[in-house]
Amino acid sequence: MIDLNDDQLLRYSRHILLPEIGIDGQQKLLSSHALVVGVGGLGSPISLYLAASGVGRITLCDHDTVDLTNLQRQIVHNTDSIGQPKVVSAREALARINPEVVVDIIQERVEGVRLEALVSSADVVIDATDNFATRHAVNRACVKFRKPLVSGAGVRFDGQVAVFDLRDETSPCYSCLFPEEGDLEEMRCAVMGVFAPLVGIIGSVQAAEALKLLMGVGQPLAGRLLLLDALSMQWRPVKLSKDPACKVCGVAL
Ligand SMILES: [Zn+2]
């Protein structure tokens, strides 16, 4: 475990004061590696909170560049970063908040063996993408390497968030809930309206769940999907169970 120096004892003092976290929990964060796939509306609060909280190593993946239309909700980026790769812009923002954190950036749509290598090296995987193809690829890799997956999505005023703790063989996976062959309507933020704080709320829940998983604190949001209607500000929990016929996790791997 990493010994905390005087500056770290101050920087993380409000975590250390929490009996559920303490020095032990903070040390766990400092020695952890989080993989964040997508640095947009969800990835912004996720990466900001993970860095501020002292997660020792954060890998950010996103192929895209910052556009003026992103800035209404993608709060890790700013007006000066328009045209920059999102991962570069985000790394600069995270370094300003916490220069101690190592931020690795990958400016591509990760898939295949590259994605598998990233997932296998992470302690927690956070899905902050906006398309089903990447969500399913990330889920498959998390099932294969038995990594906890924190999944979130948000469009218009509707959000959803769930944890699939795939370290547990009885856990459902993302595909149990949304099968790959399903004809779900793809609702991409690129063409849909998005209420700015919606992705902030959902991304913040994802950050909280990732930190809890890394420290082993509390009960993870596992086996439950939370649906948020931000117009009425109502949260609705849906119990999830493993689909024995799931093509990703239901068959012998
Ligand atoms: Zn499954």
Side-chain angles (χ1 to χ4, degrees):
M1 276 294 176
I2 299 163
D3 278 331
L4 275 67
N5 62 36
D6 289 351
D7 278 350
Q8 289 174 318
L9 290 170
L10 287 173
R11 181 184 281 274
Y12 306 116
S13 56
R14 272 23 175 212
H15 262 173
I16 294 167
L17 282 168
L18 293 168
E20 293 83 355
I21 296 182
I23 299 234
D24 183 52
Q26 192 60 50
Q27 285 174 321
K28 284 183 187 157
L29 291 185
L30 289 166
S31 18
S32 293
H33 176 205
L35 172 63
V36 182
V37 186
V39 193
L42 297 168
S44 288
I46 293 167
S47 59
L48 288 167
Y49 274 123
L50 296 188
S53 301
V55 171
R57 183 174 214 97
I58 300 171
T59 301
L60 303 176
C61 304
D62 200 305
H63 71 283
D64 212 356
T65 53
V66 180
D67 181 86
L68 180 58
T69 62
N70 300 151
L71 298 183
Q72 161 256 16
R73 65 199 178 283
Q74 303 188 12
I75 58 172
V76 77
H77 310 300
N78 63 75
T79 307
D80 290 338
S81 41
I82 291 171
Q84 270 191 334
K86 287 188 179 178
V87 288
V88 172
S89 160
R91 181 172 60 183
E92 286 172 6
L94 302 191
R96 281 194 292 274
I97 288 176
N98 192 347
E100 291 188 347
V101 170
V102 176
V103 179
D104 296 327
I105 58 172
I106 295 162
Q107 194 199 342
E108 59 184 75
R109 232 188 253 276
V110 283
E111 52 194 8
V113 288
R114 181 107 158 122
L115 176 60
E116 291 196 345
L118 286 168
V119 166
S120 68
S121 72
D123 299 306
V124 67
V125 178
I126 304 151
D127 174 5
T129 61
D130 65 353
N131 69 88
F132 284 120
T134 310
R135 285 186 193 286
H136 282 295
V138 169
N139 177 63
R140 277 195 301 274
C142 288
V143 169
K144 181 169 180 178
F145 295 100
R146 296 201 176 286
K147 297 292 181 177
L149 169 62
V150 183
S151 178
V155 71
R156 296 186 293 228
F157 290 91
D158 302 319
Q160 62 182 49
V161 55
V163 170
F164 303 98
D165 192 351
L166 298 159
R167 297 171 297 186
D168 172 3
E169 278 185 40
T170 65
S171 166
C173 80
Y174 180 80
S175 194
C176 293
L177 187 59
F178 301 108
E180 291 192 52
E181 64 274 23
D183 54 357
L184 286 163
E185 181 191 357
E186 180 106 58
M187 294 194 293
R188 299 193 56 187
C189 305
V191 289
M192 306 286 292
V194 187
F195 184 46
L198 174 77
V199 282
I201 296 167
I202 298 294
S204 297
V205 174
Q206 289 183 271
E209 289 302 311
L211 294 173
K212 282 165 57 191
L213 286 162
L214 290 174
M215 294 184 289
V217 164
Q219 292 80 43
L221 179 62
R224 281 179 299 153
L225 172 73
L226 290 183
L227 298 170
L228 170 65
D229 173 359
L231 278 177
S232 59
M233 207 48 83
Q234 307 254 16
W235 290 89
R236 188 161 64 89
V238 177
K239 198 175 175 332
L240 304 179
S241 45
K242 189 179 174 88
D243 176 3
C246 173
K247 293 214 167 83
V248 176
C249 73
V251 292
L253 293 169

